[in-house]
Amino acid sequence: MLLKLKRKFSSAHRLPDYDGECNNLHGHTWVVEFIIEGETKESGMVEDFKTLKPLLDSVLPDHKYLNDFVQNPTAENMVKYIYDNAAKLLTQRGLKLKQVELWENENASAIFQAY
Ligand SMILES: [Zn+2]
């Protein structure tokens, strides 16, 4: 069974190696979609969404400067950072993080999938 959760966070970053406007400090409201795999339990749920939301939010750098967390915080590098941190917490609960998709704006996203 797969669960999908959508979360949002806002943050600032700059891309130090980029030749263009993204080199300047700017912000995004990022949308993150998590796809989680697990067995449906006796309760009829894989895991309560109410439990998963704060757990996933805890790894999102909301209102932070992303360059403090990831050296070159492109959408690709950020989605990997979020995946790694969320996967650790979900593994402890017997859940597998299958995919994270990070939307930089409504038209562009980076996807990291479990291998
Ligand atoms: Zn940007």
Side-chain angles (χ1 to χ4, degrees):
M1 181 69 72
L2 300 176
L3 301 181
K4 187 176 197 176
L5 284 96
K6 194 186 277 192
R7 312 303 297 156
K8 265 186 196 177
F9 69 102
S10 300
S11 62
H13 75 163
R14 60 178 294 265
L15 302 181
D17 302 327
Y18 189 80
D19 183 22
E21 286 185 333
C22 292
N23 202 318
N24 298 324
L25 178 64
H26 63 281
H28 295 275
T29 297
W30 306 84
V31 173
V32 198
E33 292 184 34
F34 296 90
I35 296 180
I36 297 164
E37 185 178 50
E39 297 290 326
T40 306
K41 296 174 198 150
E42 196 77 15
S43 63
M45 296 177 185
V46 174
E47 181 69 271
D48 195 340
F49 287 125
K50 233 160 74 179
T51 308
L52 288 172
K53 286 175 193 169
L55 186 121
L56 297 174
D57 286 346
S58 74
V59 306
L60 300 177
D62 189 32
H63 287 72
K64 300 272 168 52
Y65 180 48
L66 298 182
N67 299 62
D68 290 341
F69 296 83
V70 174
Q71 206 173 13
N72 181 26
T74 59
E76 292 86 338
N77 289 339
M78 283 309 301
V79 77
K80 182 68 167 63
Y81 169 85
I82 292 167
Y83 177 91
D84 288 343
N85 286 286
K88 267 182 224 158
L89 296 177
L90 292 166
T91 301
Q92 290 167 7
R93 294 180 160 270
L95 299 168
K96 179 167 185 178
L97 185 54
K98 292 283 284 183
Q99 177 176 301
V100 179
E101 181 165 11
L102 179 64
W103 292 86
E104 176 173 289
N105 58 50
E106 61 192 10
N107 300 313
S109 73
I111 298 173
F112 186 85
Q113 290 183 321
Y115 36 87

